[in-house]
Amino acid sequence: MVGEILGREVRVTIDDVARAAGVSRQTVSRAMNGKGEISAATRRRVLATIEELDYRPSVFARGMRTQRGGTLGLILSDIANPFFPAVARGVFDAAAARGSSVVVHNTDAHAGRESAAARDVLERGADGVIGFFEALADEDLTEVHRRLPLVVADRRAPEPGVASVSSDFATGTRLAVEHLHARGHRRLGMLDGAVGVDHVRRHAFTDAAAPGSPVVTGPPTLTGGAAAADQLLAEHPAVTALFAFNDLMAVGAVRALRERGRRVPEDCAVVGYDDLTLAADLDPPLTTVHTDKYELGRTLVEVLDDVVRARRDGSAPGVAPHRLLPATLVVRRSG
Amino acid sequence: MVGEILGREVRVTIDDVARAAGVSRQTVSRAMNGKGEISAATRRRVLATIEELDYRPSVFARGMRTQRGGTLGLILSDIANPFFPAVARGVFDAAAARGSSVVVHNTDAHAGRESAAARDVLERGADGVIGFFEALADEDLTEVHRRLPLVVADRRAPEPGVASVSSDFATGTRLAVEHLHARGHRRLGMLDGAVGVDHVRRHAFTDAAAPGSPVVTGPPTLTGGAAAADQLLAEHPAVTALFAFNDLMAVGAVRALRERGRRVPEDCAVVGYDDLTLAADLDPPLTTVHTDKYELGRTLVEVLDDVVRARRDGSAPGVAPHRLLPATLVVRRSG
DNA sequence: CTGAAAGCGCTAACAG
DNA sequence: CTGTTAGCGCTTTCAG
């Protein structure tokens, strides 16, 4: 087998290619990286030789010079929340298309883990980072941005120079509240996720719902939603509709409601956010705000690419791209 | 800020540490890697200096010598299937505990993507790979194993020397079938996932169910399950219970059944496999086979560690560890 | 127990 | 358009 002796791998190096193609190493480098001038004929020949020898440049040797490892960091808070895998799929596909691998870090929305993840990604010479940062302060984001192309996901950028992509939470939340009002609900409550620094959903809820509408905060998980719903209903028994930070909390709320003998939606309506794949198959089918999560993932990589390119071509520290993905309401049975 | 000048990072190198500590670079290397003899006092002093200067060895320079990058590859077929994130969480946590980062590859069970992923992981100098390989042939797995510590997940190892961890599919499947029999069902059908080469679940089903029980194959997804159920029921209308390859197919089957006006479980029972987080909240709550997915993830990393260690300490090419995780039936309403 | 020398495979900068 | 020179930061010999 090529490049192998007695079961022990022997690296095919750039020198082997150079020798075989009858050129210098530099020319081989140029041929594969498309940098510098090189005649079409030479390049073709070199590329053919590369193919033939099955040469793969060493990530390490290259990284040593360039400080770039052809990876891309994806930092998120909870891979077990189906929202993130849906986004990740878009990220993986887009990353694969641009030839990058993705290193994923799960932070549990813990500030220490978030900065450790960022640092790790940095040290590995990632081309850039996509971050769902929930706990890190704005200054820290800015610091990450200074060192590495960064795209902030589902959160306001800490400063205009930092790119961001997120669901249009304000619209989505407003849609949910208006729908509940249209259904005749007058006393709404919100189950907010105890993460992030933006609180866009909460503010939008507060704006759209009647003054003084209660908001209870908890972890953005099933059990967090159940506990928050319990607390909210205990303190505000007159509430007839709940808007949850995300679908997981919404499902937790449904569980809690039923355990208290409340029917959903008859006694209390529930609306979620995210529109997880299984939302339509739940009992009751979940009314929720939909955002295209795969598209979010793809967009994140696309924007990151813009940032990388901008930085390479003379780092014009102007206003970075900020994209808002449409949010629409999907009415099912729960609210 | 340390190591920074005018917003431009300046690497703290091993030489800086050596100089500051008044030793040579090798001594620094020894101090951090615990290799070679070194006096406790020197080591302490060097370690303190490292701390003080916030020195982080370059992944690339180190990788260049060692061919190892401190990462770990996780290759899976569909991150959007909640089964995988649940496992991934265990993998991430265990990897973090051992100081590794995880690069994740999504393959869609496509042979080309699976081998590309393996190759990529290899080139990045991963310490090892955890692979849910669905499409790759046994020889290819063996080849991967020859080059890199490998643990095969949810699949029989291609040879005794390759480690594996998987759910006890045989028992889980038997439990499901027996339960259906106990409920009085006589005509069972199976919705098999069109992936993998093992077909443990299918064989176990064929063994446990009545001879000639129909099996229809499709992609292990929601729509795959729906289509498979449609086909199976069209060809075998007398079937009163369906055992699905996984929960996603089971949910798809429920959808299809209802669209044909069949009630679940009254007209046709459905049993899944995996016990996804939301299984209990579905309509109807899904009867399914449970395996501890987080534990699977943790175990995978643990076994990988054993393999790595074994290979380092003189590669005794004996019988690698093979672990089977318990599978239990969770009876809910769907079957 | 510690230091000096050598080189991993690659690309940037400069010649030609 | 192509080749030569010079390291990147680290670990692995091999001396001392």
Side-chain angles (χ1 to χ4, degrees), chain B residues 41-175:
Chain B
T42 317
R43 129 167 290 197
R44 224 186 342 267
R45 185 156 44 88
V46 171
L47 258 24
T49 310
I50 285 178
E51 190 78 14
E52 192 182 331
L53 298 186
D54 191 31
Y55 163 70
R56 326 272 321 189
S58 154
V59 179
F60 297 118
R62 175 177 280 177
M64 195 140 171
R65 298 296 309 173
T66 63
Q67 298 302 329
R68 291 286 80 105
T71 67
L72 188 158
L74 175 60
I75 300 178
L76 44 80
S77 58
D78 179 16
I79 189 75
N81 176 346
F83 166 77
F84 287 107
V87 176
R89 218 169 194 304
V91 171
F92 289 149
D93 284 358
R98 98 199 250 297
S100 307
S101 299
V102 183
V103 349
V104 181
H105 287 269
N106 198 272
T107 65
D108 285 319
H110 189 286
R113 310 259 288 274
E114 286 186 359
S115 64
R119 176 191 300 259
D120 178 273
V121 160
L122 208 96
E123 284 171 7
R124 304 215 109 73
D127 297 338
V129 208
I130 291 172
F132 289 83
F133 293 108
E134 319 270 16
L136 240 38
D138 276 356
E139 310 87 271
D140 296 317
L141 291 198
T142 306
E143 174 71 15
V144 171
H145 158 80
R146 281 204 14 265
R147 307 203 184 198
L148 200 62
L150 164 69
V151 179
V152 167
D154 275 4
R155 168 171 172 168
R156 193 177 11 75
E159 61 167 53
V162 180
S164 74
V165 182
S166 61
S167 173
D168 186 351
F169 291 122
T171 300
T173 301
R174 190 172 44 68
L175 254 25

Side-chain angles (χ1 to χ4, degrees), chain A residues 56 69 89 108 123-124 281, chain B residues 56 69 89 108 123-124:
Chain A
R56 325 273 322 187
R89 217 171 194 301
D108 285 319
E123 283 170 9
R124 304 214 109 72
D281 303 282
Chain B
R56 326 272 321 189
R89 218 169 194 304
D108 285 319
E123 284 171 7
R124 304 215 109 73

Side-chain angles (χ1 to χ4, degrees), chain A residues 43-302:
Chain A
R43 125 166 293 197
R44 225 186 343 266
R45 185 157 44 90
V46 172
L47 258 25
T49 310
I50 286 178
E51 191 77 15
E52 193 181 331
L53 299 186
D54 192 30
Y55 162 69
R56 325 273 322 187
S58 153
V59 179
F60 297 117
R62 176 177 279 176
M64 194 140 174
R65 298 295 309 167
T66 63
Q67 298 302 327
R68 290 289 77 109
T71 68
L72 188 156
L74 175 60
I75 300 178
L76 44 80
S77 58
D78 178 16
I79 190 76
N81 176 346
F83 166 77
F84 287 108
V87 176
R89 217 171 194 301
V91 171
F92 290 149
D93 285 358
R98 96 200 252 296
S100 306
S101 298
V102 182
V103 349
V104 181
H105 287 269
N106 199 273
T107 65
D108 285 319
H110 189 287
R113 311 259 288 274
E114 286 186 358
S115 64
R119 177 192 299 260
D120 179 273
V121 160
L122 208 97
E123 283 170 9
R124 304 214 109 72
D127 297 338
V129 207
I130 291 171
F132 289 82
F133 292 108
E134 319 269 16
L136 239 38
D138 276 356
E139 309 87 271
D140 296 317
L141 291 197
T142 306
E143 175 69 15
V144 171
H145 157 80
R146 281 203 18 265
R147 307 204 184 195
L148 200 63
L150 164 70
V151 178
V152 167
D154 275 3
R155 168 169 172 170
R156 195 178 6 78
E159 60 166 56
V162 180
S164 75
V165 182
S166 62
S167 172
D168 186 350
F169 291 122
T171 300
T173 301
R174 189 171 46 68
L175 254 25
V177 171
E178 284 173 358
H179 168 257
L180 255 8
H181 282 162
R183 283 279 221 248
H185 294 284
R186 290 294 165 264
R187 295 165 196 279
L188 313 189
M190 173 171 181
L191 275 20
D192 195 23
V195 293
V197 292
D198 260 12
H199 306 297
V200 179
R201 279 168 267 202
R202 189 208 297 180
H203 291 318
F205 173 80
T206 304
D207 285 354
S213 296
V215 176
V216 168
T217 284
T221 60
L222 275 174
T223 51
D230 268 338
Q231 187 190 330
L232 196 146
L233 268 297
E235 293 170 0
H236 306 271
V239 161
T240 65
L242 260 21
F243 171 62
F245 178 82
N246 66 15
D247 283 359
L248 245 31
M249 290 190 87
V251 175
V254 171
R255 280 190 188 174
L257 253 9
R258 287 186 167 164
E259 266 170 31
R260 289 176 160 238
R262 300 251 219 160
R263 292 166 305 162
V264 179
E266 293 80 357
D267 300 326
C268 186
V270 174
V271 174
Y273 204 112
D274 284 348
D275 193 21
L276 304 181
T277 305
L278 293 177
D281 303 282
L282 297 170
D283 179 25
L286 191 64
T287 294
T288 183
V289 179
H290 177 271
T291 295
D292 189 333
K293 292 159 285 299
Y294 183 84
E295 184 58 25
L296 172 56
R298 279 181 23 83
T299 306
L300 251 1
V301 176
E302 185 182 321

Side-chain angles (χ1 to χ4, degrees), chain B residues 83-84 132 134 152-156 165-177 190 198-205 208 243-246 272-274 289-291 296 323-328:
Chain B
F83 166 77
F84 287 107
F132 289 83
E134 319 270 16
V152 167
D154 275 4
R155 168 171 172 168
R156 193 177 11 75
V165 182
S166 61
S167 173
D168 186 351
F169 291 122
T171 300
T173 301
R174 190 172 44 68
L175 254 25
V177 171
M190 173 171 180
D198 261 10
H199 306 298
V200 179
R201 279 167 268 201
R202 190 207 298 181
H203 291 317
F205 174 81
F243 170 62
F245 178 82
N246 65 15
Y273 203 111
D274 283 348
V289 179
H290 178 271
T291 295
L296 172 56
R323 301 258 266 264
L324 227 48
L325 263 41
T328 56

Side-chain angles (χ1 to χ4, degrees), chain A residues 14 25-26 29 33 55 57 62:
Chain A
I14 195 170
R25 344 220 253 261
Q26 197 40 240
S29 175
N33 299 321
Y55 162 69
R62 176 177 279 176

